Coordinates of all heavy atoms in Angstrom, one line a residue:
S482 N -14.0 8.2 7.4 CA -14.1 7.9 8.8 C -15.5 8.0 9.3 O -16.0 7.1 10.0 CB -13.2 8.8 9.6 OG -13.3 8.6 10.9
N483 N -16.2 9.0 8.8 CA -17.6 9.2 9.2 C -18.5 8.0 8.7 O -19.4 7.5 9.4 CB -18.2 10.5 8.7 CG -17.6 11.7 9.4 OD1 -17.0 11.6 10.5 ND2 -17.6 12.9 8.8
A484 N -18.2 7.6 7.4 CA -18.9 6.5 6.9 C -18.6 5.2 7.6 O -19.6 4.4 7.9 CB -18.6 6.3 5.4
E485 N -17.4 5.0 8.0 CA -17.0 3.8 8.7 C -17.6 3.7 10.1 O -18.0 2.7 10.6 CB -15.5 3.6 8.8 CG -14.8 3.3 7.5 CD -13.3 3.2 7.6 OE1 -12.8 3.4 8.8 OE2 -12.6 2.9 6.6
D486 N -17.7 4.9 10.7 CA -18.3 5.0 12.1 C -19.7 4.5 12.1 O -20.2 4.1 13.2 CB -18.2 6.4 12.6 CG -16.7 6.8 13.0 OD1 -15.9 5.9 13.1 OD2 -16.5 8.0 13.2
K487 N -20.4 4.5 11.0 CA -21.8 4.1 11.0 C -21.9 2.6 10.8 O -23.0 2.0 10.7 CB -22.5 4.8 9.9 CG -22.6 6.3 10.1 CD -23.2 7.0 8.9 CE -23.1 8.5 9.1 NZ -23.4 9.3 7.9
C488 N -20.8 1.9 10.6 CA -20.8 0.5 10.3 C -20.5 -0.4 11.5 O -19.7 0.0 12.3 CB -19.8 0.2 9.2 SG -20.0 1.1 7.7
D489 N -21.1 -1.5 11.5 CA -20.9 -2.5 12.7 C -19.9 -3.6 12.3 O -19.3 -4.2 13.2 CB -22.2 -3.1 13.1 CG -23.2 -2.1 13.6 OD1 -22.8 -1.2 14.3 OD2 -24.4 -2.3 13.4
T490 N -19.7 -3.8 11.0 CA -18.8 -4.9 10.7 C -17.6 -4.4 9.8 O -17.7 -3.3 9.2 CB -19.5 -6.0 9.8 OG1 -19.9 -5.4 8.6 CG2 -20.8 -6.5 10.5
Y491 N -16.6 -5.2 9.8 CA -15.4 -4.8 9.0 C -15.7 -4.9 7.5 O -15.2 -4.1 6.7 CB -14.2 -5.5 9.4 CG -13.7 -5.2 10.8 CD1 -13.9 -6.0 11.9 CD2 -13.1 -3.9 11.0 CE1 -13.5 -5.6 13.1 CE2 -12.8 -3.5 12.3 CZ -13.0 -4.3 13.3 OH -12.6 -3.9 14.6
K492 N -16.5 -5.8 7.1 CA -17.0 -5.9 5.8 C -17.7 -4.6 5.4 O -17.4 -4.0 4.3 CB -18.0 -7.1 5.6 CG -18.7 -7.1 4.3 CD -19.8 -8.1 4.3 CE -20.7 -8.0 3.0 NZ -21.8 -8.9 3.1
D493 N -18.6 -4.1 6.2 CA -19.3 -2.9 5.9 C -18.4 -1.7 5.9 O -18.6 -0.7 5.1 CB -20.5 -2.7 6.9 CG -21.6 -3.6 6.6 OD1 -21.7 -4.2 5.5 OD2 -22.5 -3.8 7.5
K494 N -17.4 -1.7 6.7 CA -16.4 -0.6 6.7 C -15.6 -0.6 5.4 O -15.4 0.5 4.8 CB -15.4 -0.7 7.9 CG -16.0 -0.4 9.3 CD -15.1 -0.6 10.4 CE -15.7 -0.5 11.7 NZ -16.2 0.8 12.1
L495 N -15.2 -1.7 4.9 CA -14.6 -1.8 3.6 C -15.5 -1.3 2.5 O -15.1 -0.6 1.6 CB -14.1 -3.2 3.3 CG -12.9 -3.7 4.1 CD1 -12.6 -5.2 3.7 CD2 -11.7 -2.8 3.9
L496 N -16.8 -1.8 2.5 CA -17.8 -1.3 1.5 C -18.0 0.2 1.6 O -18.3 0.8 0.6 CB -19.1 -2.1 1.7 CG -19.0 -3.6 1.4 CD1 -20.3 -4.3 1.8 CD2 -18.6 -3.9 0.0
A497 N -17.9 0.7 2.8 CA -18.1 2.2 3.0 C -17.0 2.9 2.3 O -17.3 4.0 1.7 CB -18.1 2.5 4.5

Side-chain angles (χ1 to χ4, degrees):
S482 178
N483 290 341
E485 287 180 1
D486 287 346
K487 297 172 185 167
C488 300
D489 295 325
T490 67
Y491 291 105
K492 170 189 170 186
D493 287 341
K494 289 178 188 292
L495 290 176
L496 293 174

